[in-house]
Amino acid sequence: MTFQPVIPLAGYAGWRFLQRTMESQQTAFQESAPVKRDTDYFREKIGSIKTAEDLVADRRLLSVALGAYGLDDDINNKYFIERVLGDGIASDDALSNRLSDKRYFAFSLAFGLGNDAVPRTGLTFFADDIIARYEQKQFALSVGDQDEDMRLALNVEGALKDIVANNTSENAQWFSVLGNAPLRKVIETALGLPSSIGRIDLDQQLTSFKDRAQSVFGSDKVADLAADQTQEDLIRLFLVRSQAEQSAQINSGNIALSLLQSGPVFNAL
């Protein structure tokens, strides 16, 4: 894509600038030629799609469909995506119900192309809903080309909404957070948890995340993290802590370089 967002600052200061200019930048992105061509094509053709096979067979449609759920990397995994869509969500054995990443569940639910479902692709509002999601996700990707942390922050709102909407129990919502790698990265960093926590038992991870969320935000409920002010606090903590970690790594690298450059001194001792 040729669109390049304007992000003059890193960290939380850059995030605040992006928020202030979001509307104008998103409009420019949506009206850029590559995006408009793809969304116009999707709007024109999606109503004719009745099966998972139909969607997978049209790469342009599939690109928008996957992009709307942050699943762009699966564009060449046609058999896998056909299974996700074709199995639907009704059966416990459906592939989307067995995957830890619940973006696939939301994707399959949205399109309704399972054998036991009525396709939703012909609904009057369907194309606009998917395109709105696609534009949001792809804008975030274009931001990520300049600042990956900003991309992760932009995805928080939609990801939390999907998880709260598609999971009934509190623990199920948290397990969906743990299975959503981009969202997990934000929350894990914001809570000050080490990445190594991913190597312990899943139930222990759940307890750690809930306990730390209660301590930091005063609630261990995923739905409360989606509230406007708490979500902003979550993003602020993520960006501040991520920037601090990056600065520490740079400083550590500089120290290591200095030690290497002073090697002859050590060799002489």
Side-chain angles (χ1 to χ4, degrees):
M1 293 184 184
T2 57
F3 175 83
Q4 291 188 335
V6 179
I7 309 173
L9 301 165
Y12 191 62
W15 172 252
R16 296 297 295 163
F17 175 87
L18 186 59
Q19 285 187 308
R20 290 194 300 271
T21 61
M22 187 78 74
E23 185 175 351
S24 61
Q25 293 212 54
Q26 284 184 322
T27 297
F29 172 78
Q30 293 161 14
E31 293 177 352
S32 64
V35 174
K36 200 163 189 321
R37 279 197 301 268
D38 287 343
T39 54
D40 285 349
Y41 181 83
F42 187 89
R43 186 176 282 107
E44 178 186 353
K45 300 291 187 179
I46 193 60
S48 65
I49 300 300
K50 305 300 180 186
T51 67
E53 294 86 347
D54 292 341
L55 182 58
V56 169
D58 190 319
R59 188 178 179 87
R60 288 185 70 185
L61 288 179
L62 184 62
S63 177
V64 174
L66 291 171
Y69 288 85
L71 300 172
D72 310 70
D73 290 343
D74 284 312
I75 187 65
N76 293 318
N77 297 333
K78 292 186 175 182
Y79 176 75
F80 171 71
I81 292 302
E82 190 173 321
R83 276 284 312 277
V84 168
L85 292 169
D87 280 5
I89 62 164
S91 170
D92 289 341
D93 292 334
L95 183 56
S96 64
N97 281 322
R98 293 187 282 118
L99 294 169
S100 60
D101 189 337
K102 291 309 174 185
R103 290 179 296 175
Y104 294 103
F105 177 91
F107 174 58
S108 185
L109 173 65
F111 280 79
L113 296 175
N115 295 326
D116 55 355
V118 178
R120 303 183 71 246
T121 50
L123 297 174
T124 56
F125 57 82
F126 182 79
D128 287 340
D129 283 356
I130 298 300
I131 287 171
R133 291 183 64 105
Y134 173 76
E135 290 171 339
Q136 180 187 40
K137 292 288 186 183
Q138 299 308 301
F139 177 76
L141 281 178
S142 69
V143 168
D145 288 339
Q146 296 190 44
D147 190 314
E148 178 65 9
D149 282 351
M150 295 288 180
R151 179 188 73 82
L152 293 173
L154 281 172
N155 283 328
V156 168
E157 181 178 7
L160 285 174
K161 282 183 177 178
D162 282 346
I163 286 172
V164 172
N166 294 325
N167 297 274
T168 53
S169 76
E170 190 61 39
N171 281 353
Q173 290 177 10
W174 271 109
F175 282 127
S176 291
V177 167
L178 298 181
N180 184 320
L183 180 62
R184 177 189 175 119
K185 172 65 175 176
V186 173
I187 295 179
E188 186 175 272
T189 302
L191 295 179
L193 292 168
S195 59
S196 59
I197 194 174
R199 296 197 290 268
I200 69 174
D201 179 79
L202 193 58
D203 287 332
Q204 290 179 293
Q205 292 182 47
L206 173 66
T207 299
S208 296
F209 271 79
K210 291 177 72 173
D211 287 349
R212 190 63 65 88
Q214 180 68 51
S215 174
V216 174
F217 298 114
S219 173
D220 63 358
K221 299 183 183 303
V222 175
D224 289 341
L225 297 182
D228 289 345
Q229 186 54 56
T230 305
Q231 187 177 139
E232 184 64 19
D233 291 342
L234 170 69
I235 290 171
R236 177 179 55 80
L237 279 173
F238 162 66
L239 292 171
V240 169
R241 284 182 166 154
S242 180
Q243 194 170 29
E245 288 176 5
Q246 292 170 26
S247 296
Q249 290 171 1
I250 291 172
N251 291 336
S252 176
N254 289 338
I255 292 171
L257 181 60
S258 297
L259 291 174
L260 286 172
Q261 291 174 336
S262 62
V265 174
F266 288 98
N267 291 337
L269 295 177

